[in-house]
Every structure is written in C-alpha cells, then in structure tokens.
Amino acid sequence: MKVCAEFELMIPSETCAGQAVQERIIKLLEEHQYPERDVFGVRLALEEALVNAIKHGNQMDASKSVRVSCRVSMRCIRIEIEDQGEGFVPEEVPDPTEDENLERPCGRGIMLMRAFMTTVNFTDRGNCVILEKNREEAAASCECE
Amino acid sequence: MSTGTRRLDIEEINDVTVVKFVDKKILDEGNIQIIGNQLFGLVDEDHRGKIVLDFSNVEYLSSAALGKLITMDKKVKAAKGKLRLCTIRADILEVFKITRLDKLFTIFPNQEKALEGF
C-alpha cells in the first residue's frame, strides 16, 4: 500500500463546508493526474454523499458535524463520510428508475454514487458511507484500505 | 451570490425560448434553488410555452439539479407547453441514461436540432 495523501476532518452541517471539502479532494485527484472521467465520477458521488450526510443525515442541525476521511494513492481513492443522524436502510430507498418513480424529483443520489464509484458501502446503521474508486486504468482492488 | 443573480441566459428564437445555463457546475444547493426558481418563472410568470434548455456550458449536474428539471417538465406539461433539452456532454448524458431520465425528457444533440420543427 502506498498512500500518497490522506486527511480526516470534521465539518459543520452546512453545504458550503461540504463544497470546500469536495474541492480539496478533487484537487488531490487532479494533483495525482487522475483521468477526467474519474474526477467527474468522484465529484458527483461526493456531492451526493455530502448532501445526504448534511441534509438528510444531520438535518442541517448546527450542533451536529460530518466526519470526512480521505486516502488517495496513485491507484485508488477511498472516502468515508459519516454523519450524526439516525441512519437509514439503503435497500429501502425506492428504485428511481421504476416507471412509477421516474417523475419523483428526488431519490437518485445513491444510484449515482453506485454508478460512478467502484464500490459504495454503508455501515450497519447507515450513517456512514464508504466510497472507493479505482483509477480507470488500474485493474487491481483499492489499496487504500 | 445574490438571489437576484441571473443564472440563465435567455434568448427568443422565433417563438421558442432558448435557455442557456450560465454555470459550469450545477451542484451547490443554493445555486440549484435559484436556477430552479428562475426556470419555473419562465412558465409560471412569463407563460412561455416552447422552451429549449441548452446545456453546452454545463460540466457537472447533481441529482438535486435533476429534481428541478423534473419539476420544470411537470410545470411545462401542466401548462400544455413543450420542453426540449440539448447539447448535453457525454458524461452528463450518462447521468440521464443511468437514471432513465433520457426516457422522460426529449433530448437533442444540439440547439439547431432542438429548434427543428418545434
């Protein structure tokens, strides 16, 4: 395992704080010359995960924070986002691609995370998501564990 | 950013309203709210019936932004108008395909095609 950069921090339940940490992680990917498509996917997944944590998990409660940890190597990136909310059961989120849900204005975030990341796992309580993305040309599994 | 900041470039071509997004990233919650309100105003206040949304400037789009587009589509349909989308870059088109929203919206490769026969 050769981790090139890592950090962990607590951010307040504010979307602008989410934006700032998102920019920090994207900058790391760009510094490590990740392909544009990987950067697109990670940014999108990060946005969805951070909004979920801040809005749905912590309900924008100023007394609650979100823990974000990130490890980047030349081959993969691993991000953990943990809120202080009650958690949820991801399997209970309705499939947004079903005909009856197609016109619902929300409920697509988890699907987009899964589509653009290599793996997306939730802890048992559902208040922590672990996102992993292998660099496009890297076939091996994430070495940031 | 002030709530009065114009997030859309609007042009009338014949009887069609062509709307270009100013932002490259439609991600930030506050920004999405403003964009949504400005889009809805085209239908609710200006009563525009034929609308083309041109995504040529847009590099990122979140699910919250998709939600606003769905609400916009509902408003246009309720007003018996028509909505077309165009010039969506490949990465973002993939987002529409993954979510099957390419079945809900009428999407054209460019503005010229979107305006044809509208």
Side-chain angles (χ1 to χ4, degrees):
Chain A
M1 182 181 81
K2 192 181 173 207
V3 174
C4 301
E6 63 183 314
F7 69 85
E8 178 167 315
L9 77 171
M10 301 295 285
I11 61 167
S13 301
E14 295 164 2
T15 51
C16 57
Q19 290 287 321
V21 74
Q22 188 186 115
E23 290 304 330
R24 181 171 173 183
I25 293 171
I26 293 304
K27 195 160 173 266
L28 280 178
L29 289 181
E30 288 170 348
E31 281 170 5
H32 292 87
Q33 291 161 352
Y34 269 72
E36 216 173 276
R37 195 183 142 72
D38 287 351
V39 176
F40 177 89
V42 172
R43 189 192 280 278
L44 188 59
L46 259 178
E47 170 69 20
E48 302 296 342
L50 286 164
V51 166
N52 277 355
I54 293 167
K55 258 183 92 176
H56 304 301
N58 286 355
Q59 311 268 315
M60 310 282 281
D61 182 340
S63 69
K64 291 179 177 172
S65 354
V66 175
R67 180 182 65 84
V68 181
S69 78
C70 172
R71 287 186 205 172
V72 184
S73 77
M74 287 308 288
R75 294 170 66 89
C76 63
I77 179 162
R78 184 177 197 272
I79 306 154
E80 278 187 37
I81 298 172
E82 183 177 12
D83 62 59
Q84 295 175 329
E86 289 177 7
F88 75 113
V89 181
E91 293 75 24
E92 286 179 1
V93 176
D95 181 349
T97 63
E98 292 288 337
D99 285 345
E100 66 266 28
N101 299 329
L102 215 50
E103 292 190 54
R104 287 177 56 154
C106 50
R108 292 174 180 80
I110 296 171
M111 160 168 259
L112 290 177
M113 283 186 238
R114 292 199 196 282
F116 285 95
M117 299 301 285
T118 309
T119 62
V120 176
N121 289 301
F122 290 88
T123 53
D124 287 346
R125 212 177 104 197
N127 68 325
C128 178
V129 63
I130 301 154
L131 306 168
E132 288 182 346
K133 175 79 176 171
N134 291 345
R135 196 186 185 103
E136 205 169 56
E137 62 266 33
S141 61
C142 184
E143 56 185 7
C144 287
E145 288 179 34
Chain B
M1 186 194 311
S2 137
T3 50
T5 309
R6 195 102 200 129
R7 309 307 328 155
L8 309 172
D9 275 338
I10 296 166
E11 188 184 0
E12 286 292 324
I13 300 179
N14 298 321
D15 61 341
V16 181
T17 302
V18 177
V19 180
K20 263 192 178 180
F21 296 94
V22 173
D23 299 277
K24 286 185 176 181
K25 299 184 182 83
I26 309 182
L27 293 174
D28 168 64
E29 193 75 15
N31 201 13
I32 289 171
Q33 199 64 35
I34 296 168
I35 289 171
N37 290 340
Q38 291 181 2
L39 281 175
F40 303 159
L42 296 173
V43 186
D44 297 338
E45 292 156 30
D46 303 344
H47 307 291
R48 299 178 199 239
K50 292 182 183 177
I51 300 170
V52 171
L53 300 182
D54 185 322
F55 287 76
S56 49
N57 292 333
V58 181
E59 294 174 3
Y60 286 96
L61 193 75
S62 70
S63 68
L66 292 175
K68 293 294 180 194
L69 294 177
I70 292 166
T71 305
M72 177 68 176
D73 185 59
K74 283 182 187 168
K75 282 181 181 286
V76 173
K77 281 177 181 159
K80 305 212 182 315
K82 284 182 186 169
L83 180 70
R84 291 180 174 183
L85 277 49
C86 72
T87 333
I88 302 177
R89 53 184 279 158
D91 285 338
I92 297 178
L93 196 56
E94 199 182 337
V95 171
F96 279 85
K97 286 180 179 168
I98 289 164
T99 54
R100 281 191 69 225
L101 289 175
D102 60 325
K103 307 292 174 206
L104 186 72
F105 294 107
T106 316
I107 301 174
F108 292 84
N110 54 52
Q111 197 184 111
E112 196 185 353
K113 294 273 181 202
L115 288 168
E116 270 176 22
F118 202 176

Coordinates of all heavy atoms in Angstrom, one line a residue, chain A residues 35-119:
Chain A
P35 N -7.7 10.5 -14.4 CA -8.3 10.8 -15.6 C -9.6 11.7 -15.4 O -10.2 11.5 -14.3 CB -8.7 9.5 -16.2 CG -7.9 8.4 -15.5 CD -7.5 9.0 -14.2
E36 N -9.9 12.5 -16.4 CA -11.1 13.4 -16.2 C -12.4 12.7 -15.9 O -13.2 13.1 -15.1 CB -11.3 14.1 -17.6 CG -11.7 15.5 -17.5 CD -11.7 16.2 -18.8 OE1 -10.6 16.7 -19.3 OE2 -12.8 16.2 -19.4
R37 N -12.5 11.5 -16.4 CA -13.8 10.7 -16.2 C -13.9 10.3 -14.7 O -14.9 10.3 -14.1 CB -13.8 9.5 -17.1 CG -15.2 8.9 -17.2 CD -15.2 7.6 -18.0 NE -16.0 6.6 -17.4 CZ -17.3 6.7 -17.4 NH1 -18.0 7.7 -17.9 NH2 -18.1 5.8 -16.8
D38 N -12.7 9.9 -14.1 CA -12.7 9.5 -12.7 C -13.0 10.7 -11.9 O -13.8 10.6 -10.9 CB -11.3 9.0 -12.3 CG -11.0 7.6 -12.9 OD1 -11.9 7.0 -13.5 OD2 -9.8 7.2 -12.8
V39 N -12.4 11.9 -12.2 CA -12.7 13.1 -11.4 C -14.2 13.5 -11.5 O -14.8 13.8 -10.5 CB -11.8 14.3 -12.0 CG1 -12.1 15.6 -11.2 CG2 -10.3 13.9 -11.8
F40 N -14.8 13.3 -12.7 CA -16.2 13.6 -12.8 C -17.0 12.7 -11.9 O -17.9 13.2 -11.1 CB -16.6 13.4 -14.3 CG -18.1 13.5 -14.5 CD1 -18.6 14.8 -14.9 CD2 -19.0 12.5 -14.4 CE1 -20.0 14.9 -15.1 CE2 -20.4 12.6 -14.6 CZ -20.8 13.9 -15.0
G41 N -16.7 11.4 -11.9 CA -17.5 10.4 -11.1 C -17.3 10.7 -9.6 O -18.3 10.6 -8.9
V42 N -16.1 10.9 -9.2 CA -15.8 11.1 -7.8 C -16.5 12.4 -7.3 O -17.1 12.5 -6.2 CB -14.3 11.2 -7.4 CG1 -14.1 11.6 -6.0 CG2 -13.7 9.8 -7.7
R43 N -16.4 13.5 -8.1 CA -17.1 14.7 -7.7 C -18.6 14.5 -7.5 O -19.2 15.0 -6.6 CB -16.8 15.9 -8.7 CG -17.3 17.2 -8.2 CD -17.3 18.3 -9.3 NE -16.0 18.9 -9.6 CZ -15.5 19.9 -8.8 NH1 -16.1 20.3 -7.8 NH2 -14.3 20.4 -9.2
L44 N -19.2 13.8 -8.5 CA -20.6 13.6 -8.4 C -21.0 12.8 -7.2 O -21.9 13.1 -6.5 CB -21.1 12.9 -9.7 CG -22.6 12.8 -9.9 CD1 -23.3 14.1 -10.0 CD2 -22.9 12.0 -11.2
A45 N -20.3 11.7 -7.0 CA -20.6 10.8 -5.8 C -20.4 11.6 -4.5 O -21.2 11.4 -3.6 CB -19.7 9.6 -5.9
L46 N -19.3 12.4 -4.5 CA -19.0 13.1 -3.3 C -20.1 14.1 -3.0 O -20.6 14.3 -1.8 CB -17.7 14.0 -3.5 CG -16.4 13.5 -2.9 CD1 -15.3 14.4 -3.3 CD2 -16.5 13.4 -1.4
E47 N -20.6 14.8 -4.0 CA -21.7 15.8 -3.8 C -22.9 15.1 -3.3 O -23.5 15.6 -2.3 CB -22.0 16.4 -5.2 CG -23.2 17.3 -5.3 CD -23.1 18.6 -4.5 OE1 -22.0 19.0 -4.2 OE2 -24.2 19.2 -4.1
E48 N -23.2 14.0 -3.9 CA -24.4 13.3 -3.4 C -24.3 12.8 -1.9 O -25.2 12.9 -1.1 CB -24.7 12.0 -4.3 CG -24.9 12.4 -5.8 CD -26.2 13.2 -6.1 OE1 -27.0 13.3 -5.2 OE2 -26.2 13.8 -7.2
A49 N -23.1 12.2 -1.6 CA -22.9 11.7 -0.3 C -22.8 12.8 0.8 O -23.4 12.6 1.9 CB -21.6 10.9 -0.3
L50 N -22.2 13.9 0.4 CA -22.1 15.0 1.4 C -23.5 15.7 1.6 O -23.9 16.0 2.7 CB -21.1 16.1 0.9 CG -19.6 15.6 1.0 CD1 -18.7 16.5 0.2 CD2 -19.2 15.7 2.5
V51 N -24.3 15.8 0.5 CA -25.6 16.4 0.7 C -26.5 15.5 1.5 O -27.2 15.9 2.4 CB -26.3 16.7 -0.7 CG1 -27.7 17.0 -0.6 CG2 -25.6 17.9 -1.3
N52 N -26.3 14.1 1.3 CA -27.1 13.2 2.1 C -26.7 13.3 3.6 O -27.6 13.3 4.4 CB -26.7 11.7 1.6 CG -27.6 11.3 0.4 OD1 -28.4 12.0 0.0 ND2 -27.2 10.1 -0.1
A53 N -25.4 13.4 3.9 CA -25.0 13.5 5.2 C -25.5 14.8 5.9 O -26.0 14.7 7.0 CB -23.5 13.4 5.3
I54 N -25.3 15.9 5.2 CA -25.6 17.2 5.8 C -27.1 17.4 5.9 O -27.6 17.8 6.9 CB -24.9 18.3 5.0 CG1 -23.4 18.2 5.1 CG2 -25.4 19.7 5.4 CD1 -22.6 19.0 4.1
K55 N -27.8 17.2 4.8 CA -29.3 17.5 4.7 C -30.1 16.4 5.3 O -31.0 16.6 6.2 CB -29.7 17.7 3.3 CG -29.8 19.1 2.9 CD -30.3 19.2 1.4 CE -31.8 19.3 1.3 NZ -32.3 19.5 -0.1
H56 N -29.9 15.2 4.9 CA -30.8 14.1 5.3 C -30.3 13.5 6.6 O -31.1 13.2 7.5 CB -30.9 13.0 4.2 CG -31.4 13.6 2.9 ND1 -32.6 14.2 2.8 CD2 -30.8 13.6 1.7 CE1 -32.7 14.7 1.5 NE2 -31.6 14.3 0.8
G57 N -29.0 13.3 6.8 CA -28.5 12.7 8.0 C -28.6 13.6 9.2 O -29.3 13.4 10.1
N58 N -27.9 14.7 9.1 CA -27.8 15.7 10.2 C -28.9 16.7 10.2 O -29.0 17.5 11.1 CB -26.5 16.4 10.2 CG -25.3 15.5 10.7 OD1 -25.5 14.4 11.1 ND2 -24.1 16.0 10.6
Q59 N -29.8 16.7 9.1 CA -30.9 17.6 9.0 C -30.5 19.0 9.2 O -31.2 19.8 9.7 CB -32.0 17.3 10.1 CG -32.3 15.8 10.1 CD -33.5 15.5 9.3 OE1 -34.5 16.2 9.3 NE2 -33.4 14.4 8.5
M60 N -29.3 19.4 8.7 CA -28.7 20.7 8.7 C -28.6 21.2 10.2 O -28.5 22.4 10.4 CB -29.5 21.7 7.9 CG -29.9 21.3 6.5 SD -28.5 21.6 5.4 CE -28.6 23.3 5.0
D61 N -28.6 20.3 11.1 CA -28.5 20.7 12.6 C -27.1 21.3 12.9 O -26.1 20.5 12.7 CB -28.8 19.4 13.4 CG -28.8 19.7 14.9 OD1 -28.3 20.7 15.3 OD2 -29.4 18.9 15.6
A62 N -27.1 22.5 13.3 CA -25.8 23.2 13.5 C -25.0 22.5 14.7 O -23.8 22.7 14.8 CB -26.0 24.6 13.8
S63 N -25.7 21.8 15.5 CA -24.9 21.1 16.6 C -24.3 19.8 16.2 O -23.6 19.2 17.0 CB -25.9 20.9 17.8 OG -26.8 19.9 17.5
K64 N -24.6 19.4 15.0 CA -24.0 18.1 14.5 C -23.0 18.4 13.4 O -23.0 19.3 12.7 CB -25.1 17.2 13.9 CG -26.1 16.7 15.0 CD -27.2 15.9 14.4 CE -28.1 15.3 15.5 NZ -29.3 14.6 14.9
S65 N -22.0 17.4 13.3 CA -21.0 17.6 12.3 C -20.9 16.3 11.4 O -21.5 15.3 11.7 CB -19.6 17.8 12.9 OG -19.6 18.0 14.3
V66 N -20.1 16.4 10.4 CA -19.9 15.3 9.5 C -18.4 15.0 9.5 O -17.6 15.9 9.3 CB -20.4 15.7 8.0 CG1 -20.0 14.5 7.1 CG2 -21.9 15.9 8.0
R67 N -18.1 13.7 9.7 CA -16.6 13.3 9.6 C -16.3 12.9 8.2 O -17.0 12.1 7.6 CB -16.4 12.1 10.5 CG -14.9 11.6 10.6 CD -14.7 10.5 11.5 NE -15.4 9.3 11.0 CZ -15.0 8.4 10.1 NH1 -13.8 8.6 9.5 NH2 -15.7 7.4 9.7
V68 N -15.3 13.4 7.6 CA -14.8 13.1 6.3 C -13.4 12.6 6.4 O -12.5 13.3 6.9 CB -14.9 14.3 5.3 CG1 -14.5 13.9 3.9 CG2 -16.3 14.9 5.3
S69 N -13.1 11.4 5.9 CA -11.7 10.9 5.8 C -11.5 10.5 4.4 O -12.3 10.0 3.7 CB -11.4 9.8 6.8 OG -11.9 8.6 6.4
C70 N -10.2 10.8 4.0 CA -9.9 10.5 2.6 C -8.5 10.0 2.5 O -7.6 10.5 3.1 CB -10.0 11.8 1.8 SG -9.4 11.8 0.1
R71 N -8.3 9.0 1.6 CA -6.9 8.5 1.4 C -6.8 8.3 -0.2 O -7.7 7.7 -0.8 CB -6.7 7.1 1.9 CG -6.6 7.0 3.4 CD -6.2 5.6 3.8 NE -6.6 5.3 5.2 CZ -6.6 4.1 5.7 NH1 -6.2 3.1 5.0 NH2 -7.0 4.0 7.0
V72 N -5.7 8.9 -0.7 CA -5.5 8.8 -2.1 C -4.2 8.1 -2.4 O -3.2 8.5 -1.8 CB -5.5 10.2 -2.8 CG1 -5.3 10.1 -4.3 CG2 -6.7 11.0 -2.4
S73 N -4.2 7.1 -3.3 CA -2.9 6.6 -3.8 C -2.9 6.8 -5.3 O -3.8 7.4 -5.8 CB -2.8 5.1 -3.5 OG -3.6 4.4 -4.4
M74 N -1.9 6.4 -6.0 CA -1.9 6.6 -7.4 C -2.9 5.6 -8.1 O -3.2 5.8 -9.3 CB -0.5 6.3 -8.0 CG 0.6 7.3 -7.7 SD 0.0 9.0 -8.1 CE 0.2 8.9 -9.9
R75 N -3.4 4.6 -7.4 CA -4.3 3.6 -8.0 C -5.7 3.8 -7.6 O -6.6 3.4 -8.3 CB -3.8 2.2 -7.6 CG -2.5 1.9 -8.2 CD -2.0 0.6 -7.6 NE -2.8 -0.5 -8.0 CZ -2.6 -1.2 -9.1 NH1 -1.7 -0.9 -10.0 NH2 -3.4 -2.2 -9.4
C76 N -6.0 4.4 -6.4 CA -7.4 4.5 -6.0 C -7.6 5.6 -4.9 O -6.6 6.1 -4.4 CB -7.9 3.2 -5.4 SG -7.0 2.6 -4.0
I77 N -8.8 5.9 -4.7 CA -9.2 6.8 -3.7 C -10.3 6.2 -2.8 O -11.1 5.5 -3.3 CB -9.7 8.2 -4.2 CG1 -10.1 9.1 -3.1 CG2 -10.8 8.0 -5.2 CD1 -10.2 10.6 -3.5
R78 N -10.2 6.4 -1.5 CA -11.2 5.9 -0.5 C -11.6 7.0 0.3 O -10.8 7.7 0.9 CB -10.5 4.8 0.3 CG -11.4 4.1 1.3 CD -10.7 3.0 2.0 NE -11.5 2.0 2.6 CZ -12.0 2.1 3.9 NH1 -11.7 3.2 4.6 NH2 -12.8 1.2 4.4
I79 N -12.9 7.2 0.4 CA -13.5 8.3 1.2 C -14.6 7.8 2.1 O -15.4 7.0 1.7 CB -14.2 9.4 0.2 CG1 -13.2 9.8 -0.8 CG2 -14.7 10.6 1.0 CD1 -13.9 10.3 -2.1
E80 N -14.5 8.2 3.4 CA -15.6 7.8 4.3 C -16.3 9.1 4.7 O -15.6 10.1 5.1 CB -15.0 7.2 5.6 CG -14.6 5.7 5.5 CD -14.2 5.1 6.8 OE1 -14.8 5.5 7.9 OE2 -13.3 4.3 6.8
I81 N -17.6 9.0 4.7 CA -18.4 10.2 5.1 C -19.4 9.7 6.2 O -20.2 8.9 5.9 CB -19.1 10.9 3.9 CG1 -18.0 11.4 2.9 CG2 -20.0 12.0 4.3 CD1 -18.6 11.8 1.6
E82 N -19.3 10.3 7.4 CA -20.1 9.8 8.5 C -20.9 11.0 9.1 O -20.3 12.0 9.5 CB -19.2 9.1 9.5 CG -20.1 8.5 10.7 CD -19.2 7.8 11.7 OE1 -17.9 7.9 11.6 OE2 -19.7 7.1 12.5
D83 N -22.2 10.8 9.2 CA -23.0 11.9 9.8 C -23.4 11.4 11.2 O -23.1 10.3 11.6 CB -24.2 12.3 8.9 CG -25.1 11.1 8.7 OD1 -25.7 10.6 9.7 OD2 -25.4 10.8 7.5
Q84 N -24.1 12.3 11.9 CA -24.5 12.0 13.3 C -26.0 11.9 13.4 O -26.6 12.1 14.4 CB -24.0 13.1 14.3 CG -22.5 13.1 14.3 CD -21.9 14.3 15.2 OE1 -22.5 15.4 15.2 NE2 -20.8 14.1 15.8
G85 N -26.6 11.4 12.2 CA -28.0 11.2 12.2 C -28.4 9.8 12.6 O -27.6 9.1 13.0
E86 N -29.7 9.5 12.4 CA -30.2 8.2 12.8 C -29.8 7.1 11.9 O -30.0 5.9 12.2 CB -31.7 8.3 12.9 CG -32.1 9.1 14.1 CD -33.7 9.2 14.2 OE1 -34.4 8.6 13.5 OE2 -34.1 10.0 15.1
G87 N -29.4 7.4 10.7 CA -29.0 6.4 9.7 C -30.3 6.0 8.9 O -31.4 6.5 9.2
F88 N -30.1 5.1 7.9 CA -31.2 4.6 7.1 C -30.8 3.3 6.5 O -29.7 2.8 6.6 CB -31.5 5.7 6.0 CG -30.5 5.7 4.9 CD1 -30.9 5.3 3.6 CD2 -29.2 6.1 5.1 CE1 -30.0 5.3 2.6 CE2 -28.3 6.1 4.0 CZ -28.7 5.7 2.8
V89 N -31.8 2.7 5.9 CA -31.6 1.4 5.2 C -31.5 1.6 3.7 O -32.6 1.9 3.1 CB -32.7 0.3 5.6 CG1 -32.4 -1.0 5.0 CG2 -32.8 0.2 7.1
P90 N -30.3 1.5 3.1 CA -30.2 1.9 1.7 C -31.2 1.0 0.8 O -31.7 1.5 -0.2 CB -28.8 1.6 1.4 CG -28.1 1.6 2.6 CD -29.0 1.2 3.7
E91 N -31.4 -0.2 1.2 CA -32.2 -1.1 0.4 C -33.7 -0.7 0.4 O -34.5 -1.1 -0.5 CB -32.2 -2.6 1.0 CG -30.8 -3.3 0.8 CD -29.7 -2.8 1.8 OE1 -30.1 -2.2 2.9 OE2 -28.5 -2.8 1.5
E92 N -34.0 0.2 1.4 CA -35.4 0.6 1.4 C -35.7 1.9 0.5 O -36.8 2.3 0.4 CB -35.8 0.9 2.9 CG -36.0 -0.3 3.7 CD -36.4 -0.1 5.1 OE1 -36.5 1.1 5.5 OE2 -36.5 -1.1 5.9
V93 N -34.6 2.4 0.0 CA -34.8 3.6 -0.9 C -35.4 3.0 -2.2 O -34.9 2.1 -2.8 CB -33.5 4.3 -1.2 CG1 -33.7 5.4 -2.2 CG2 -32.9 4.8 0.1
P94 N -36.6 3.6 -2.7 CA -37.2 3.1 -3.9 C -36.3 3.2 -5.1 O -35.6 4.2 -5.2 CB -38.5 4.0 -4.0 CG -38.6 4.7 -2.7 CD -37.3 4.7 -2.1
D95 N -36.4 2.3 -6.0 CA -35.6 2.4 -7.3 C -36.2 3.5 -8.1 O -37.3 3.5 -8.6 CB -35.8 1.0 -8.0 CG -35.0 1.0 -9.3 OD1 -34.5 2.1 -9.7 OD2 -34.9 -0.1 -9.9
P96 N -35.3 4.6 -8.3 CA -35.8 5.7 -9.0 C -36.0 5.5 -10.5 O -36.6 6.3 -11.2 CB -34.7 6.8 -8.8 CG -33.4 6.0 -8.6 CD -33.9 4.7 -7.9
T97 N -35.5 4.3 -11.0 CA -35.7 4.1 -12.5 C -37.0 3.3 -12.8 O -37.3 3.1 -13.9 CB -34.5 3.3 -13.0 OG1 -34.4 2.0 -12.4 CG2 -33.2 4.0 -12.8
E98 N -37.7 2.9 -11.7 CA -39.0 2.2 -12.0 C -40.0 3.3 -12.6 O -39.9 4.5 -12.2 CB -39.6 1.7 -10.6 CG -38.8 0.6 -10.0 CD -39.0 -0.7 -10.7 OE1 -40.0 -0.9 -11.5 OE2 -38.1 -1.6 -10.6
D99 N -40.8 2.8 -13.5 CA -41.7 3.8 -14.1 C -42.5 4.7 -13.2 O -42.6 5.9 -13.4 CB -42.8 3.0 -15.0 CG -42.1 2.5 -16.3 OD1 -41.0 2.9 -16.6 OD2 -42.7 1.6 -16.9
E100 N -43.0 4.1 -12.1 CA -43.8 4.9 -11.1 C -43.0 5.9 -10.4 O -43.6 6.8 -9.8 CB -44.6 4.0 -10.2 CG -43.7 3.2 -9.2 CD -43.4 1.8 -9.7 OE1 -43.3 1.6 -10.9 OE2 -43.2 0.9 -8.8
N101 N -41.7 5.7 -10.4 CA -40.8 6.7 -9.6 C -40.1 7.7 -10.5 O -39.4 8.6 -10.0 CB -39.8 5.9 -8.8 CG -40.4 5.0 -7.8 OD1 -41.5 5.3 -7.3 ND2 -39.7 3.9 -7.5
L102 N -40.2 7.5 -11.8 CA -39.4 8.3 -12.8 C -39.6 9.8 -12.6 O -38.7 10.6 -12.9 CB -39.8 7.8 -14.2 CG -38.6 7.8 -15.2 CD1 -37.4 7.1 -14.7 CD2 -39.1 7.2 -16.5
E103 N -40.8 10.2 -12.3 CA -41.1 11.6 -12.2 C -41.0 12.2 -10.7 O -41.3 13.3 -10.5 CB -42.5 11.9 -12.7 CG -42.6 11.7 -14.2 CD -43.9 12.2 -14.8 OE1 -44.2 13.4 -14.6 OE2 -44.6 11.4 -15.5
R104 N -40.4 11.3 -9.9 CA -40.2 11.8 -8.5 C -38.9 12.7 -8.5 O -37.9 12.3 -9.1 CB -39.9 10.7 -7.5 CG -41.2 9.9 -7.2 CD -40.9 8.8 -6.3 NE -40.2 9.2 -5.1 CZ -40.2 8.5 -3.9 NH1 -40.9 7.4 -3.8 NH2 -39.6 9.0 -2.9
P105 N -39.0 13.9 -7.9 CA -37.8 14.8 -8.1 C -36.6 14.5 -7.2 O -35.6 15.1 -7.3 CB -38.4 16.2 -7.6 CG -39.6 15.9 -6.8 CD -40.1 14.5 -7.3
C106 N -36.7 13.4 -6.3 CA -35.6 13.1 -5.5 C -35.4 11.6 -5.5 O -36.2 10.8 -6.0 CB -35.7 13.7 -4.1 SG -37.3 13.3 -3.4
G107 N -34.3 11.1 -4.8 CA -34.1 9.7 -4.6 C -33.1 9.1 -5.6 O -33.1 7.9 -5.7
R108 N -32.3 9.9 -6.3 CA -31.3 9.4 -7.2 C -29.9 9.4 -6.8 O -29.0 8.9 -7.5 CB -31.4 10.2 -8.6 CG -32.7 10.0 -9.3 CD -32.9 10.8 -10.5 NE -34.2 10.5 -11.1 CZ -35.4 11.0 -10.6 NH1 -35.4 11.9 -9.6 NH2 -36.5 10.7 -11.2
G109 N -29.6 9.9 -5.6 CA -28.2 10.1 -5.2 C -27.5 8.8 -5.0 O -26.3 8.7 -5.5
I110 N -28.1 7.8 -4.3 CA -27.3 6.6 -4.1 C -27.1 5.9 -5.4 O -26.0 5.3 -5.6 CB -28.1 5.7 -3.1 CG1 -28.2 6.4 -1.7 CG2 -27.5 4.3 -2.9 CD1 -29.2 5.8 -0.7
M111 N -28.1 5.9 -6.2 CA -27.9 5.2 -7.5 C -26.7 5.8 -8.3 O -25.9 5.1 -8.9 CB -29.2 5.4 -8.3 CG -29.0 5.2 -9.8 SD -30.5 5.0 -10.7 CE -30.5 3.3 -10.9
L112 N -26.6 7.2 -8.3 CA -25.5 7.8 -9.0 C -24.1 7.5 -8.3 O -23.2 7.3 -9.0 CB -25.7 9.3 -9.1 CG -26.9 9.8 -10.0 CD1 -27.1 11.3 -9.9 CD2 -26.6 9.3 -11.4
M113 N -24.1 7.4 -7.0 CA -22.9 7.0 -6.3 C -22.4 5.7 -6.8 O -21.3 5.4 -7.2 CB -23.1 7.0 -4.8 CG -23.1 8.3 -4.1 SD -23.2 8.0 -2.3 CE -24.7 8.8 -1.9
R114 N -23.4 4.7 -6.8 CA -23.1 3.3 -7.2 C -22.6 3.3 -8.7 O -21.8 2.5 -9.0 CB -24.3 2.4 -7.0 CG -24.6 2.2 -5.5 CD -25.5 1.0 -5.3 NE -26.2 0.9 -4.0 CZ -25.6 0.6 -2.9 NH1 -24.3 0.2 -2.9 NH2 -26.3 0.5 -1.8
A115 N -23.2 4.1 -9.5 CA -22.9 4.1 -10.9 C -21.5 4.6 -11.2 O -20.8 4.1 -12.1 CB -23.9 4.9 -11.7
F116 N -21.0 5.6 -10.4 CA -19.8 6.2 -10.8 C -18.6 5.8 -9.9 O -17.4 6.1 -10.2 CB -19.9 7.7 -10.8 CG -20.7 8.2 -12.0 CD1 -22.0 8.5 -11.9 CD2 -20.0 8.4 -13.2 CE1 -22.7 8.9 -13.1 CE2 -20.7 8.9 -14.3 CZ -22.0 9.1 -14.3
M117 N -18.8 5.1 -8.8 CA -17.7 4.7 -7.9 C -17.5 3.2 -8.2 O -18.4 2.5 -8.6 CB -18.0 4.9 -6.4 CG -18.2 6.4 -6.1 SD -16.8 7.4 -6.5 CE -15.7 7.0 -5.1
T118 N -16.3 2.6 -7.8 CA -16.1 1.2 -7.9 C -16.9 0.4 -6.9 O -17.5 -0.6 -7.2 CB -14.6 0.9 -7.8 OG1 -13.8 1.8 -8.6 CG2 -14.2 -0.5 -8.1
T119 N -16.8 0.9 -5.6 CA -17.7 0.3 -4.6 C -18.3 1.4 -3.7 O -17.7 2.4 -3.5 CB -16.9 -0.7 -3.7 OG1 -15.9 0.1 -3.0 CG2 -16.3 -1.8 -4.4

